[in-house]
């Protein structure tokens, strides 16, 4: 059974953080290409990716960004979350076998609108920012 956090607006506080790790696999990239229809050779052809200056197959930026959905929907706040918006800046490529940490930190909380603002980050190999942004999430009552 998959566990989902179920934080109420009252339980959420500014500065609260959550994180989880993922190792990027070739299978993840292949499945995302199939799902999105994005078969750009940067994401599917290692020799092409190297030819144009990358270390290997580049993980889709939007595959990485989709992990923010897991952060919000499963951890912070979890079950009561309804995603409203997400800004994204892609800072560094990510490759197969990179270990990434997906992090969220509560920056603001509005009681009247029930909206929280999170700083969102993906960091690879413990030291390189890959994706940064900001999310706005409605926290439902039930």
């Amino acid at each position: 059974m998959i566990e989902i956090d179920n934080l109420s607006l009252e339980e959420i506080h500014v500065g609260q953080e959550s994180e989880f790790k993922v190792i990027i696999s070739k299978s993840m990239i292949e499945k995302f290409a199939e799902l999105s229809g994005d078969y750009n050779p940067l994401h599917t052809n290692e020799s092409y990716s190297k030819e144009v200056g990358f270390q290997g197959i580049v993980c889709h930026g939007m595959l990485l960004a989709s992990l923010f959905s897991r952060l919000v929907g499963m951890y912070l706040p979890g079950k009561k979350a309804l995603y409203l918006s997400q800004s994204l800046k892609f800072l560094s490529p990510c490759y197969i076998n990179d270990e990434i940490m997906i992090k969220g930190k509560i920056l603001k909380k509005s009681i009247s609108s029930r909206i929280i603002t999170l700083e969102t980050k993906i960091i690879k190999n413990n030291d390189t920012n890959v994706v940064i942004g900001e999310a706005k999430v409605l926290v439902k009552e039930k």
Side-chain angles (χ1 to χ4, degrees):
M1 179 161 166
I2 297 173
E3 265 192 54
I4 303 173
D5 283 340
N6 192 21
L7 299 175
S8 68
L9 189 62
E10 294 72 30
E11 294 171 309
I12 295 167
H13 60 272
V14 172
Q16 188 170 356
E17 298 181 82
S18 190
E19 62 185 36
F20 63 94
K21 288 183 180 178
V22 171
I23 296 176
I24 298 300
S25 69
K26 185 173 184 179
S27 171
M28 289 170 70
I29 293 171
E30 289 169 345
K31 287 176 184 176
F32 189 82
E34 183 179 336
L35 181 66
S36 68
D38 182 355
Y39 291 97
N40 181 307
L42 288 173
H43 308 305
T44 58
N45 185 313
E46 186 168 6
S47 59
Y48 175 80
S49 296
K50 288 181 175 180
E51 185 180 304
V52 296
F54 292 100
Q55 296 173 13
I57 289 175
V58 178
C59 181
H60 299 79
M62 295 308 287
L63 167 57
L64 297 171
S66 75
L67 295 169
F68 291 140
S69 183
R70 183 190 308 181
L71 174 73
V72 167
M74 301 297 288
Y75 300 106
L76 190 60
K79 186 176 177 180
K80 295 177 179 158
L82 180 63
Y83 231 123
L84 299 176
S85 67
Q86 174 74 55
S87 66
L88 299 167
K89 286 188 181 180
F90 300 97
L91 303 174
S92 181
C94 190
Y95 303 100
I96 294 169
N97 296 323
D98 277 346
E99 181 178 80
I100 57 173
M101 177 75 74
I102 298 84
K103 295 182 164 199
K105 180 179 181 179
I106 304 293
L107 298 176
K108 296 179 202 169
K109 169 179 149 177
S110 169
I111 300 293
S112 60
S113 68
R114 303 192 62 83
I115 294 173
I116 58 173
T117 303
L118 293 93
E119 172 187 69
T120 53
K121 286 185 181 181
I122 297 177
I123 300 167
K124 75 175 179 179
N125 305 327
N126 295 318
D127 65 355
T128 303
N129 282 332
V130 176
V131 183
I132 60 171
E134 193 173 279
K136 294 209 184 286
V137 177
L138 178 65
V139 181
K140 301 297 286 176
E141 287 187 55
K142 297 180 182 180

